[in-house]
Amino acid sequence: MGRFRMEGEMIVIYLDGIGSFQVGKSQVISFLLRLGEEVIRDRDGGAVGMMSLSGSGRGVKMMIKERLYVAPVRRVKRVLEGKEKKGAVFGVK
């Protein structure tokens, strides 16, 4: 369905056929520490959705344009740490 990767100080989420969206690296770190949800923005800075943790804490939920996507927390952390270049984003029906 898509992928995400670091670009400078931003996590950029690419969704096939839909577009690209971004969240600041520092905002992703704070939300992974369970300090709340974060706003997902389009490239122009407009809010398009929210990012939150799943109930189990093992998944990152991304509600973008009224559709739900998920990515494994472990993969997000590895990309933030620079251990991996990109991670997968999966659509949820």
Side-chain angles (χ1 to χ4, degrees), residues 28-42:
V28 174
I29 292 169
S30 69
F31 119 83
L32 287 174
L33 295 171
R34 299 183 182 266
L35 299 177
E37 298 179 336
E38 286 301 328
V39 175
I40 299 172
R41 301 188 179 280
D42 61 18

Side-chain angles (χ1 to χ4, degrees), residues 4 6 75-82 84-87:
F4 65 92
M6 286 291 305
R75 194 65 176 259
V76 172
K77 288 180 179 179
R78 291 184 63 81
V79 169
L80 285 171
E81 294 166 352
E84 295 185 21
K85 291 187 183 259
K86 61 185 176 183

Side-chain angles (χ1 to χ4, degrees), residues 3-14 20-29 31-32 39-43 51 60 62 64 71 73 75-82 84-89:
R3 66 202 174 288
F4 65 92
R5 68 180 186 165
M6 286 291 305
E7 290 185 13
E9 290 299 310
M10 302 299 281
I11 294 281
V12 181
I13 305 157
Y14 296 94
S20 62
F21 309 95
Q22 58 192 13
V23 180
K25 178 181 176 181
S26 59
Q27 285 82 15
V28 174
I29 292 169
F31 119 83
L32 287 174
V39 175
I40 299 172
R41 301 188 179 280
D42 61 18
R43 292 291 188 144
M51 181 180 278
V60 174
M62 295 169 268
I64 300 173
V73 166
R75 194 65 176 259
V76 172
K77 288 180 179 179
R78 291 184 63 81
V79 169
L80 285 171
E81 294 166 352
E84 295 185 21
K85 291 187 183 259
K86 61 185 176 183
V89 174

